[in-house]
Amino acid sequence: MDSALIPKGVKRCPFGLFLVWIGILQIPFLIGVIAYLVCWGLALNQTYLNNNYPFGLWIAADLGIIALGGGAFFTAFLRYIIKIDELKNIVNFATVIGVMCYAAALGILAVDIGQPLRGWHIFWHANVHSMLTEVAFCISCYFTVLLIEYLPLVLENREINKFGFPRSFAHHLHEAMPAIAAIGVFLSFFHQGSLGGVPSVLYGRPFAYREGFLVWPWTFFLFILSAMACGPCFTILITRITETFAKKQLVKRNVIDILAKISGWLLGGYLVLKIIDTISWGVSLAPSVGAPAGSFYANQPYGWWVLITEVGILGIIPCIILLSTRARQNQPLLILACLLNCAGIFMNRWIMSVQTLAVPVMSFDKFFSYHPNWAEWASTLMWVWLSAIVISISYRYLPIFPQEKELNPL
Amino acid sequence: MFPFIFDWVSDASHFVFMGTLYAVMGLLVIALHYCGIRAFFDWLCKKGQHEH
C-alpha cells in the first residue's frame, strides 16, 4: 500500500503489521497524553513535587535525555568537523535520535514549568545572568539546528525527491551541513555545560557546590565531557535495538567500533576528572563549609552506595569494556557497556538535581524522601513511545541507513 | 529580549548574551535562505531547459 514511499532497494514489513506496531505504541503514549492534560488542567499538585523537591523526575530526565542526545552533536562534530568519513553511515540516525531527545527535553519542560502559557517569558524577559536562561536559549536554538539537519532526510523520501525543488534544497542543505553542524556544536557545548553549572553555583547547597574556572564551575566541563562520552553509546544502543526489531544489520561493525572506542576514551577521561573532583570536594571543599562528606550520605536511600554505583559499576566497568578491543567487539558485552554508560549518566543527573535537593542544609531541616507518581512517570515515558513511533516512521520511509542496501541485498 | 521591553538594561551582559543569540539565529536564517534561494534557481534553470 505504501511501497511507493519506501526507499528503493530495501525491504520493509507489510503495511498492516507496521500499523499494528504503531497502534501498540499509541496505548502507553495516550496514557502520557492524559498525564499531561491532568498536570496542565489541574496544576502541579497532581504530582509528588513539593517545596522540598521543586526538581524531581522531570528535571532529572531532562538532564539525562539532553546528555543522551549529545550523540547527535558529537557525531556531527566528528563527521563534519573532524572529518571521520565512516561516521556518515550513522550520523543521519544520530540526528533522528537527537531530534527526539531534544523534543522530549522541551516537551518535559513544558509540563514542568506548570504555566506553559507563560513559557515565552524566559525569552521575552530574559535574565541574562541565569544559566537556566542560557540553557533555554541554547536548547531552543539547537532543536532548530537538529530540525534543519533532519530536513534533508525528509526531503530525500522517494516520492518527495521526485520534485526538483525539494531535491535541490536537500542537496544544498547537505552542502551547508558542516556550517550548521558547527553552530550545533557551539550551542551544545554551552547548554550541556550550563546544565552542569546550574546546581554547582548554589553555594547554599554544599553537596553540589563547586569552585571552577572564571564563571564556570568544574561541573560545567564534567557535564560536557560526560555527554560526549555517553551520547555515542546511546546512538549505538538505539541502533542495535532498531536492528533487533528490523531483524537485519543496518550499520557495519567498524562504524560502531569507532564510536565505541571514542566513547571509551572520553569516558575514561571523564572518570579521572570526576574522581579528582569528588576527592577534592570530599577532602577540602565540603569540610571547609562545616559538612564532612559522610554527612551527605547519611540519609537512605542516598547512602554511599550511590557514589560507588555511579562511578564504579556504571562508570569504570563500561569504560574498561569500551577501551578493550576484544571486549568491545563482543556484541553482548558492548551492549552491556552502552547500557551501563547510559544508566550512569541518568544516575549522575539524578544525583546532581534530586539528591542535591534531598540533602538537608539547615540544622533544623529534616530529610524528606521523594518518589515520582504515575503522572510524572507517564508524562516522562510518553516521550519514549513517541520517539519509538518517530524512529519507526523515519526508518520505514527515509534513507537513514546508507549501508542498509549493501548489508542486506534483495 | 529587545531594547523596547521594559526590563531591558543596556549593559555588557545584555549585549554579549543577546548578541550571541541573534548572531546564531541570523546564521541559521542566512544558511536556510541561501540553500532555499540556490535550490529555487536550480529548479528555475532546469525548468527553463525543459521548456526549450
Side-chain angles (χ1 to χ4, degrees), chain A residues 32 36 57-58 61 65 104 108 375-384:
Chain A
Y36 260 78
L57 173 68
W58 282 331
I65 289 167
I108 291 172
E376 291 169 78
W377 279 115
S379 52
T380 306
L381 291 175
M382 185 191 92
W383 292 96
V384 176

Side-chain angles (χ1 to χ4, degrees), chain A residues 378-399:
Chain A
S379 52
T380 306
L381 291 175
M382 185 191 92
W383 292 96
V384 176
W385 318 122
L386 185 61
S387 301
I389 292 170
V390 172
I391 288 173
S392 301
I393 294 171
S394 299
Y395 167 68
R396 188 172 178 85
Y397 298 118
L398 307 178

